[in-house]
Amino acid sequence: MKSIYLLSATLLLASCSPAAEKPKTYDISFTHEKQEIQIVPLYKAYDDYIQAASKHPEDNEALFKKYVLGAKNSVIKKEQLQAMPVPSLYEQPSENIKDLKQMNTYLKKHHQRIMKQIKSSLLTSMKQLPRDEKLVVFVSPTTPIEHDDAKRYGGVSGVAQGNNSMSLFFLKDFSETSLRNTTAHEYHHTVALDEPNRATMLDYIILEGKAEFFAHKLYPVESSEAIAPLLDHTLEHVISELNAERLTTDDLFFGNYEKQIPSFVKYRLGYMIVSDFVKQHPEISLKEWSRISSVQILEKSSYQKKLTIR
């Protein structure tokens, strides 16, 4: 009788064990105008990476590729999404696993609030600019090495991977304004990138200008480093360097002290050109100018003769 009792107790405990429960999923899906939207937090992938890298720090890079990029690529393959040729600045192995763990824990704790805000911004964006493709939004903590850059954006940064997916990267204590604005900005990219992109320097500038104009149209802010107009002498110098083809894409993003180029030029100049274009052509709808070429935008603006790159 004793052995039978022990067996029964073991079976009872097994049936109540947490291991028998259905694994928790953070993914959410919804539809708008028949378009499917899926938000995929990569919390578990980061937890797996953090746990493995804590035990084997010498394999940090390989473990990040295995757990984080591997999990993301599985979704990309399953959903037949466009993939970036290389990981973004925000998808790199962390040298501070403890800090990354704190951020990932923070995101899980505030998961419902984050999902609600992302969904709200996406719906607002979709009402203004409908899309033709499904959309998958990945959510991740920001790799600590990129803290300073992310802080300048209010704790939320983003990357669009084509016309059907985008990624949002978070720091702890991110601002809600940054989340709304960044979500709208990257959403615009997924629509603008629906058209063939020549990927010229001009495309690089105008694409960001379009997204910044769209995001700040939906969520105006009193001040933003990304839309602060360039001073006249700085603008003249930047245009001169662009026309002479002496600037790189990194110069336009990070700035270049030696070349006297401030940071975020691609956003600031792009925003100035697109704002001028929209002001001069109110008859062209948001949906239309979001998809017309960068050359058309430039040539219908006041900058057409000043900026000679095409």
Side-chain angles (χ1 to χ4, degrees):
M1 288 295 293
K2 183 177 181 180
S3 61
I4 294 176
Y5 170 78
L6 289 174
L7 178 61
S8 299
T10 301
L11 290 173
L12 179 62
L13 288 171
S15 66
C16 297
S17 171
E21 296 177 359
K22 185 178 179 180
K24 183 175 182 179
T25 177
Y26 290 98
D27 297 12
I28 70 168
S29 298
F30 62 95
T31 58
H32 176 72
E33 300 292 337
K34 299 182 179 180
Q35 295 303 316
E36 179 186 356
I37 310 297
Q38 186 177 3
I39 306 177
V40 183
L42 296 174
Y43 309 147
K44 184 181 184 304
Y46 276 86
D47 276 339
D48 292 341
Y49 159 64
I50 290 165
Q51 183 176 9
S54 297
K55 296 178 180 178
H56 303 283
E58 70 280 4
D59 297 326
N60 193 10
E61 186 174 348
L63 293 171
F64 185 84
K65 186 178 295 185
K66 175 182 178 180
Y67 290 106
V68 176
L69 299 184
K72 185 175 183 179
N73 287 333
S74 293
V75 177
I76 289 173
K77 185 176 180 179
K78 178 183 177 182
E79 301 296 331
Q80 299 181 325
L81 308 175
Q82 295 176 345
M84 295 185 73
V86 295
S88 75
L89 288 172
Y90 309 102
E91 295 173 303
Q92 305 296 331
S94 174
E95 297 299 327
N96 191 336
I97 295 298
K98 181 179 179 180
D99 194 9
L100 184 63
K101 182 177 181 180
Q102 291 176 348
M103 281 194 292
N104 204 42
T105 300
Y106 177 88
L107 294 186
K108 289 186 289 184
K109 180 179 179 180
H110 297 276
H111 171 70
Q112 294 298 333
R113 176 168 66 96
I114 292 170
M115 293 300 103
K116 181 179 179 180
Q117 291 174 347
I118 293 175
K119 181 177 179 180
S120 175
S121 184
L122 287 174
L123 287 173
T124 299
S125 298
M126 293 172 74
K127 289 175 183 177
Q128 291 293 318
L129 185 62
R131 62 184 300 102
D132 301 320
E133 299 278 345
K134 68 180 178 183
L135 178 66
V136 175
V137 180
F138 294 98
V139 174
S140 304
T142 296
T143 303
I145 196 172
E146 300 298 338
H147 273 193
D148 291 342
D149 180 46
K151 285 179 181 177
R152 295 174 75 175
Y153 287 101
V156 185
S157 300
V159 176
Q161 288 126 216
N163 65 349
N164 51 19
S165 70
M166 55 186 266
S167 297
L168 297 174
F169 303 92
F170 292 77
L171 287 179
K172 290 186 298 182
D173 302 320
F174 63 89
S175 77
E176 295 184 6
T177 298
S178 177
L179 175 53
R180 291 192 295 266
N181 193 283
T182 302
T183 301
H185 179 108
E186 299 306 330
Y187 174 83
H188 190 276
H189 281 334
T190 68
V191 176
L193 288 171
D194 190 44
E195 295 299 307
N197 192 341
R198 297 181 302 138
T200 65
M201 190 67 80
L202 180 62
D203 292 326
Y204 185 64
I205 293 169
I206 298 299
L207 186 71
E208 297 299 347
K210 287 180 177 180
E212 280 299 306
F213 188 90
F214 176 74
H216 289 281
K217 177 182 173 65
L218 297 187
Y219 301 107
V221 293
E222 292 184 3
S223 63
S224 169
E225 193 174 359
I227 63 171
L230 297 167
L231 298 176
D232 290 345
H233 68 279
T234 303
L235 175 62
E236 183 178 343
H237 175 66
V238 166
I239 288 178
S240 175
E241 294 296 286
L242 281 169
N243 289 340
E245 299 183 358
R246 287 192 285 260
L247 299 182
T248 67
T249 54
D250 281 350
D251 292 337
L252 297 182
F253 181 55
F254 299 106
N256 188 310
Y257 179 78
E258 292 184 355
K259 297 179 183 179
Q260 298 181 343
I261 302 298
S263 58
F264 298 156
V265 163
K266 66 173 182 176
Y267 302 100
R268 298 168 69 180
L269 179 57
Y271 183 82
M272 291 171 72
I273 295 172
V274 173
S275 297
D276 180 80
F277 164 84
V278 173
K279 183 178 179 179
Q280 293 199 50
H281 299 281
E283 76 281 1
I284 301 179
S285 70
L286 167 62
K287 186 175 182 179
E288 290 177 306
W289 66 249
S290 290
R291 288 193 165 109
I292 67 176
S293 73
S294 55
V295 172
Q296 287 178 290
I297 293 285
L298 177 62
E299 293 185 344
K300 290 180 180 293
S301 76
S302 301
Y303 295 85
Q304 59 170 319
K305 295 181 179 179
K306 298 176 185 177
L307 197 57
T308 59
I309 59 173
R310 295 291 187 273

